[in-house]
Amino acid sequence: MEPQVRRLSLELARSTGLARFTRLESLAMLRCSAYGDLVDEVVRGLVLAPHAQNTWDLLVVLAERPTPSLLDWMATLLRHESTYLARGASYGLQAMLVRGGLGLEEWTALLPHLELAWHEADGEPARRAVLAQLWAALPPQLQARAREACPQETAAPPGPTVWTRSRQNRHYLLAESLARAAAGATGHPEEPLLARLLFEAMFDPRGVRMSHATSLLAFSPFADALVRVLLEPPTGPLDVGVAAGLRVAAFCHTGEVPAGVRPLLASESAIDLQHVLTFFSHGTRPLPQPTLDRGLAGDEITVRRTLHCLGLTGDPRLSGLAADPALPASTRGGAGWWVETGPRIDAEGGGRGAAACPPERGSLLRLARPQRTGDRDHAGW
């Protein structure tokens, strides 16, 4: 099973849409089966491999079966020199909190790691934001014990200050108006659940709750309509949701880059650039060279997002980047990882180019199903 689990894990790293979610579910099944320890061993090796790319999903897979050993390992990653890996560890730990299974005393072991990571991140706002989001996801008892060591007054995640469905919660009112527009565009009656999911996807400070809501939206019948609505120019006091809406639209979109994204190519915002890269990674048109150059000159997350875009689309420029001595070793290595791993897999058993899953070998998804030991708590997702 080791080569099969390894292959499935690497396929997950380069899959999108339905292909991504089926592989994610399959690995989650295997993680909760008699092969759970094997999945743990394989995934840890892939995550820490030199120049590994796109590993966040793999860390969340491990969180499907929380253990004290896994908690300790992910906690040490919070101090990793890579902000990308530290953020992935935060997502993994938050997913473990949502999944449940460990007691409060076992989670207490996280606090020394969080304290060390917090103090070492002094002067690094991006890393502090990652740790603040994890801190906000902890049970109240642990938050109280960590407050003195990791003061959060200036690091609390931004978002709604009112959490009731009332006129005072303008974030929820915005989500309702956007949901109403998307439902109307599909000829569907008003859908309150759509508004709730959109509110969580855009504004929930808990990273895993936010990502799960976004995934459900992307897999819903409203996904295309939501992308169109979220890319429309805002009217009235909707500025609060522009950035969040763009992030959700980029995740839900499939296919070629929408016309509404083109103006963002001229934006000076690093966040807008990352969303542009996500849109391009779902299409077939090459990333414009000025955007590519700007992406490779950005911070670690932006560089990884740029390589991710090139990798998923099978861009031939990757080979040149992998051999360019003028680029940092991390960029060359990341480009080489994508060249070796292959381009995007769009659907079960298929993909873009020769590196996709060979059809004669069939789907790996069947390997997981007989091994499943019990249903996961989907309400926790």
Side-chain angles (χ1 to χ4, degrees), residues 213-251:
T214 307
S215 296
L216 288 172
L217 291 176
F219 233 173
S220 77
F222 302 101
D224 290 341
L226 276 173
V227 172
R228 293 193 297 270
V229 168
L230 291 169
L231 288 179
E232 291 177 356
T235 56
L238 301 183
D239 59 298
V240 65
V242 172
L246 183 59
R247 171 177 50 77
V248 174
F251 190 91

Side-chain angles (χ1 to χ4, degrees), residues 105-150:
E105 287 306 312
E106 290 170 304
W107 276 104
T108 302
L110 171 66
L111 298 183
H113 295 281
L114 184 57
E115 179 180 352
L116 280 173
W118 179 264
H119 291 294
E120 290 178 3
D122 188 23
E124 298 182 60
R127 190 175 287 263
R128 279 278 178 97
V130 168
L131 299 172
Q133 188 183 73
L134 173 59
W135 185 92
L138 294 174
Q141 303 95 313
L142 293 183
Q143 287 192 24
R145 294 174 66 171
R147 184 170 287 112
E148 292 185 4
C150 309

Side-chain angles (χ1 to χ4, degrees), residues 231 243 245-251 253 255-295 302 305-310 312-313 344:
L231 288 179
L246 183 59
R247 171 177 50 77
V248 174
F251 190 91
H253 172 71
E256 298 301 337
V257 179
V261 175
R262 295 290 174 176
L264 295 176
L265 290 171
S267 172
E268 297 183 358
S269 167
I271 300 299
D272 285 351
L273 172 60
Q274 291 180 14
H275 295 324
V276 166
L277 293 168
T278 300
F279 277 108
F280 269 92
S281 69
H282 296 160
T284 59
R285 296 182 180 179
L287 187 68
Q289 188 63 42
T291 307
L292 169 58
D293 294 339
R294 184 180 165 204
T302 304
R305 192 71 61 87
T306 305
L307 295 177
H308 178 261
C309 176
L310 299 178
L312 290 186
T313 56
R344 182 176 68 224

Side-chain angles (χ1 to χ4, degrees), residues 9-374:
S9 300
L10 289 172
E11 285 187 3
L12 173 60
R14 59 191 182 94
S15 296
T16 61
L18 177 62
R20 177 191 175 209
F21 294 119
T22 50
R23 282 158 178 78
L24 186 63
E25 176 72 3
S26 300
L27 275 173
M29 291 177 179
L30 287 170
R31 172 61 178 152
C32 297
S33 75
Y35 297 108
D37 291 341
L38 174 61
V39 174
D40 184 284
E41 178 184 350
V42 170
V43 167
R44 290 196 196 196
L46 292 176
V47 167
L48 294 181
H51 309 301
Q53 305 288 301
N54 208 31
T55 58
W56 286 349
D57 277 347
L58 294 176
L59 289 167
V60 173
V61 162
L62 292 185
E64 283 296 304
R65 196 177 82 181
T67 65
S69 170
L70 181 63
L71 191 156
D72 181 72
W73 180 70
M74 286 194 180
T76 62
L77 291 183
L78 295 174
R79 301 173 59 202
H80 198 279
E81 62 181 359
S82 166
T83 301
Y84 176 88
L85 272 183
R87 184 183 294 184
S90 173
Y91 292 156
L93 289 164
Q94 291 178 64
M96 289 172 64
L97 284 163
V98 172
R99 185 68 176 90
L102 296 179
L104 188 62
E105 287 306 312
E106 290 170 304
W107 276 104
T108 302
L110 171 66
L111 298 183
H113 295 281
L114 184 57
E115 179 180 352
L116 280 173
W118 179 264
H119 291 294
E120 290 178 3
D122 188 23
E124 298 182 60
R127 190 175 287 263
R128 279 278 178 97
V130 168
L131 299 172
Q133 188 183 73
L134 173 59
W135 185 92
L138 294 174
Q141 303 95 313
L142 293 183
Q143 287 192 24
R145 294 174 66 171
R147 184 170 287 112
E148 292 185 4
C150 309
Q152 298 294 305
E153 287 76 9
T154 60
T161 56
V162 178
W163 292 94
T164 58
R165 285 182 288 181
S166 67
R167 293 184 180 276
Q168 285 71 43
N169 189 343
R170 62 180 187 140
H171 295 79
Y172 202 91
L173 290 177
L174 172 60
E176 284 186 320
S177 67
L178 294 171
R180 193 177 302 115
T186 60
H188 191 80
E190 185 173 352
E191 180 54 74
L193 181 57
L194 180 62
R196 175 57 185 262
L197 286 173
L198 193 54
F199 173 74
E200 291 189 2
M202 294 175 68
F203 303 119
D204 200 307
R206 299 164 295 183
V208 171
R209 300 285 186 180
M210 177 186 290
S211 65
H212 288 160
T214 307
S215 296
L216 288 172
L217 291 176
F219 233 173
S220 77
F222 302 101
D224 290 341
L226 276 173
V227 172
R228 293 193 297 270
V229 168
L230 291 169
L231 288 179
E232 291 177 356
T235 56
L238 301 183
D239 59 298
V240 65
V242 172
L246 183 59
R247 171 177 50 77
V248 174
F251 190 91
C252 292
H253 172 71
T254 58
E256 298 301 337
V257 179
V261 175
R262 295 290 174 176
L264 295 176
L265 290 171
S267 172
E268 297 183 358
S269 167
I271 300 299
D272 285 351
L273 172 60
Q274 291 180 14
H275 295 324
V276 166
L277 293 168
T278 300
F279 277 108
F280 269 92
S281 69
H282 296 160
T284 59
R285 296 182 180 179
L287 187 68
Q289 188 63 42
T291 307
L292 169 58
D293 294 339
R294 184 180 165 204
L296 293 181
D299 61 15
E300 180 195 7
I301 301 296
T302 304
V303 171
R304 283 178 175 267
R305 192 71 61 87
T306 305
L307 295 177
H308 178 261
C309 176
L310 299 178
L312 290 186
T313 56
D315 196 303
R317 289 175 288 185
L318 276 171
S319 297
L321 297 178
D324 188 349
L327 293 174
S330 58
T331 303
R332 297 197 307 271
W337 186 95
W338 279 108
V339 171
E340 180 180 353
T341 305
R344 182 176 68 224
I345 298 176
D346 293 310
E348 183 179 326
R352 296 174 43 78
C357 176
E360 66 274 11
R361 294 183 61 180
S363 170
L364 290 177
L365 307 187
R366 69 182 188 278
L367 294 173
R369 301 200 181 277
Q371 316 300 334
R372 192 167 187 175
T373 58

